[in-house]
Amino acid sequence: MLPGQFVVPPAPVGPGCRPSGHPAGDGGPEAAETAVTHFGDDVPSPGAAMARDRPCCQRAASPSGKPVSERAAGQGRRVIPSSKTETHRSLVTQRHTDLWARHPCSTSGTAPAPGARGKGRAAAEPDGAVASAGDAAAARAMWEPRGAALRAAAAALLLGAGACYCLWRLAAAGGRRGRRAAAARGPPADSSPPVSTHTMDVDVLQKLIHLLQATDDPLIQEQALITLSNSAAFSVNQDIIRNLDGLSVIGEMLSNCTPKVKEKALNALNNLSMNIKNQEEIQVFTAQVCRTVESAPLNSDVQLAGLRLLTNMSVTSDYHQKMINSIPCFFHLLSEGTERTQIHVLKVLVNLSANPAMTRHLLRAQVPSMVLLFDNYINRDILVRALAFAANLKKNMNDEEGTIIEEYSEDSIFFTLCRDSAPFAQRLASLLHHPDTEVKEQVVRILMQ
């Protein structure tokens, strides 16, 4: 980790821990929140928290992804007993049977038994072009049940995976109640810390990845990505998905022309990027993610999902070089975006500014309007990050020898923030009276450089 970075705690949020996304006082890389999406809602999911071992917090969200609530993750969850798993499987089988019986293409009213596919249909298979309207009707009657079977199987798999996730949440809630009761009773004579594993069945994860490869249906792709993203909120599943080559399969979805699918792919990679080994594979998509951020509509969910992933990928300096060409785009979003977009862009810029090797690239950017961000009326989350960005650059400039002033234009960040700019100095003096302690700390940090 570089000097002057925001520290992302590896442990889950709890008493005494800093919430995810809240910058520390010294100014440096930070990460987004963990995305956990519920089936059946219609809100976009936020991104994932950067933590090497497990997520530091979770934000509940729905398939389109807007945050619903935030809760601690990784604490007190229990292993799901196998009996519950078996019960869940039988329920999914019954649900599949009911879905089949209600499907308009079903003629028998019940799901076909395994191996019985195709029985009871006309013996003749279509050989070539349909010769008449009657032949066309016969062909439709023959092939539509097959498509219905595929859709029903995909629905059963996704419902099963979603039900597994619901069981995890119930087990976690039970674990918290059990810990509170145990704390009231006092420790037993021979106590050992509970084992917490949140592993989705490897076979289920493999089927989801294969389903993602096999289908062209954007609705199925979206739901499969949501399920994989939810499972990636747990560190054990992050390793499993990587070992199943799921990272490359999810990465291929970034080329999908459906915005919702692309957004869910970015969210899944975001959660998976909490794992350092996963980052080594995800980094091959960094340039493509930068292009996606640049080409996406301003303030769109796809753009925000891409910025969240870049935030996690920029916590260490390993992949900063891959983002250099997108620096002008980041400053454009900072000038034109909404407050939400500005916060996500500043997270990336603060992470980049903590790396001395990126200083000159950042100082060359031409953003004369950036000085307007240093105002008492600016959103506190934007102001703190803008000040941390300026403080990092000032520190790097002082540590660097032989600065050539001629290489920077008068509209550059260098002249705006680092060349004894009178407007900037006046705004800093005004911010010394800001009510927020962290704002004042960052101002003092700049003035002391």
Side-chain angles (χ1 to χ4, degrees), residues 209 212 240-251 269 272:
I209 293 170
L212 203 55
I240 294 173
I241 292 173
R242 181 184 68 252
N243 294 333
L244 293 173
D245 198 28
L247 296 176
S248 61
V249 175
I250 296 172
L269 290 176
L272 289 162

Side-chain angles (χ1 to χ4, degrees), residues 85-157:
T85 305
E86 295 304 321
T87 303
H88 155 68
R89 287 176 181 170
S90 64
L91 288 174
V92 169
T93 303
Q94 182 61 44
R95 182 75 174 270
H96 182 188
T97 303
D98 295 342
L99 286 172
W100 186 279
R102 292 196 300 269
H103 197 280
C105 294
S106 173
T107 56
S108 62
T110 58
R117 181 178 178 181
K119 291 181 180 179
R121 294 195 178 105
E125 296 289 338
D127 266 340
V130 177
S132 66
D135 292 336
R140 282 196 299 273
M142 180 165 47
W143 288 105
E144 282 179 0
R146 299 188 182 185
L150 176 60
R151 288 192 296 273
L157 176 60

